[in-house]
Amino acid sequence: MKWLVSAPFWASCFLATVSFLAMAAPLLPIKDPYVQEWRERLQPPSVEHWFGTDDLGRELFSRVVHGGRYSLFIGVLAVGLALLVGAPMGMLGGYTGGWVDRLLASTTEVLLAVPGILIALVTIAVLGPGLFNVMIAVGLSQIPHYARQARASALAVRSQEYVLASRLAGSSHVRVLWNHVLPNVAAPVLVLATMGLGSAILEAAALSFLGLSGDPNRPEWGNMLQLTRERFADQPWLVVVPGLAITGSVLSFNILGDWIRDRLDPKLQGRG
């Protein structure tokens, strides 16, 4: 029963609940997140209104549930973009070496020297505000991290005897990359991707808070914070509820990332 008090278990439960509610939101018997009921505006949390209502009378529980769809959607697609571009780039550079590796490594280091949020802001400035553009901006800002991790893993593998033996046996570079380099790169990149989901959600919420996600009335967690930040002193639930959703998601992904790392790294098998 030790697992009942473990942080990864509760992190998994939280993420499973948020994911289920987000995916099933259109089918759940909850109010439309856009419907305004002026007689119910600024109601505190109660049995009737679980998370309270906002200044337009919209149900906060419904908006948080539907907001999870946007936040998780942005996080998954942004990490997917960063993973599909950054990991192959780093793996190719680390395995081939030479000028290709120097070029890719230099590019990665330059991008890592620039704050991710600045890269995202420049991307939004070029593409314009919008939910899809926020996803692209967050994904581009995370590419250097995956490229660096994949390159480091590939560098550690390419000089191993079994890789050299495979090359001497006549295997092509593509075959060596697929059969020997990729399996060694996958584990650390998977850990990074798990933690990256939390970072992507947080960065997307920050961009939405700045009003760069397009429709300000969209029930996205960052939007909700931006619209209600001035009411924190009088109606704190308007800020606390979406804030806890963001914090819980980011913290849960980080906890799961640590847990996966401990399970995949042989040096950490005996911990805990």
Side-chain angles (χ1 to χ4, degrees), residues 13-137:
C13 289
F14 179 86
L15 291 176
T17 302
V18 171
S19 300
F20 170 77
L21 290 175
M23 291 186 293
L27 305 176
L28 296 176
I30 56 179
K31 294 183 179 180
D32 189 312
Y34 293 98
V35 170
Q36 303 176 11
E37 298 182 10
W38 289 95
R39 294 181 180 179
E40 301 293 332
R41 61 190 301 269
L42 297 177
Q43 294 294 316
S46 62
V47 176
E48 184 178 358
H49 306 288
W50 292 357
F51 291 169
T53 60
D54 64 10
D55 54 346
L56 297 179
R58 296 173 296 192
E59 193 72 33
L60 204 57
F61 175 75
S62 177
R63 290 181 64 78
V64 169
V65 169
H66 282 81
R69 296 170 61 85
Y70 297 108
S71 296
L72 293 177
F73 173 78
I74 293 173
V76 170
L77 290 188
V79 169
L81 173 63
L83 188 62
L84 290 176
V85 176
M89 183 174 71
M91 189 171 65
L92 179 63
Y95 174 73
T96 58
W99 68 269
V100 175
D101 182 41
R102 290 193 296 271
L103 176 62
L104 293 177
S106 299
T107 303
T108 300
E109 292 302 323
V110 170
L111 292 175
L112 285 172
V114 181
I117 189 66
L118 181 58
I119 296 177
L121 288 173
V122 171
T123 304
I124 291 293
V126 174
L127 299 179
L131 196 66
F132 185 73
N133 292 342
V134 166
M135 181 272 294
I136 295 177

Side-chain angles (χ1 to χ4, degrees), residues 81-227:
L81 173 63
L83 188 62
L84 290 176
V85 176
M89 183 174 71
M91 189 171 65
L92 179 63
Y95 174 73
T96 58
W99 68 269
V100 175
D101 182 41
R102 290 193 296 271
L103 176 62
L104 293 177
S106 299
T107 303
T108 300
E109 292 302 323
V110 170
L111 292 175
L112 285 172
V114 181
I117 189 66
L118 181 58
I119 296 177
L121 288 173
V122 171
T123 304
I124 291 293
V126 174
L127 299 179
L131 196 66
F132 185 73
N133 292 342
V134 166
M135 181 272 294
I136 295 177
V138 175
L140 291 178
S141 69
Q142 292 201 5
I143 286 177
H145 300 281
Y146 293 89
R148 181 178 62 176
Q149 181 62 67
R151 176 179 179 269
S153 300
L155 284 172
V157 171
R158 72 176 185 179
S159 59
Q160 295 295 321
E161 293 182 356
Y162 61 87
V163 174
L164 298 176
S166 180
R167 289 290 300 129
L168 291 174
S171 298
S172 64
H173 290 298
V174 175
R175 187 178 182 86
V176 173
L177 283 168
W178 181 262
N179 290 336
H180 302 296
V181 180
L182 181 59
N184 288 276
V185 171
V189 169
L190 175 62
V191 175
L192 186 62
T194 304
M195 294 182 174
L197 284 168
S199 300
I201 290 174
L202 184 61
E203 193 170 331
L207 293 174
S208 296
F209 183 83
L210 295 174
L212 300 177
S213 64
D215 184 2
N217 292 315
R218 182 184 294 116
E220 197 274 329
W221 294 340
N223 269 342
M224 295 171 67
L225 287 175
Q226 196 276 335
L227 292 174

